[in-house]
Amino acid sequence: DGVYGMHRAVKIAGAGVVISTLWQVQDEAAEVVIVRFHNNVVAGMTPAAAFREAREYLMTYDDGYFRSPNFPYPFIIIDALE
């Protein structure tokens, strides 16, 4: 099952959407994306739009330290159709 088995288990447990990564990421990058995503959803954005904005925000965070595609693009969201 691998990665998809984990997503399935989380969905069965009741999660509305699942955010995961395709490869290992720095803790600070993960924190920035997840906190920004959560704040966006609380502010009324759809999960898909909130996630997209959070990844874009990461690329400008800390004077562009996370600008490389290696930082924002391993993050994926599952079951957040608009």
Side-chain angles (χ1 to χ4, degrees):
D1 286 323
V3 174
Y4 294 107
M6 177 61 81
H7 293 141
R8 183 171 171 257
V10 172
K11 292 295 292 178
I12 290 172
V17 296
V18 177
I19 296 177
S20 185
T21 61
L22 298 173
W23 56 81
Q24 187 174 352
V25 297
Q26 287 186 2
D27 291 344
E28 186 178 4
E31 177 186 1
V32 169
V33 169
I34 297 304
V35 169
R36 186 73 175 203
F37 169 78
H38 178 266
N39 290 340
N40 288 343
V41 170
V42 168
M45 294 175 78
T46 66
F51 180 70
R52 188 170 34 254
E53 193 280 334
R55 286 197 325 182
E56 291 171 2
Y57 174 76
L58 178 64
M59 294 180 77
T60 64
Y61 179 79
D62 197 17
D63 292 328
Y65 175 78
F66 296 110
R67 186 174 297 131
S68 167
N70 291 332
F71 292 108
Y73 294 116
F75 292 95
I76 59 171
I77 189 165
I78 298 172
D79 289 342
L81 299 176
E82 290 187 335

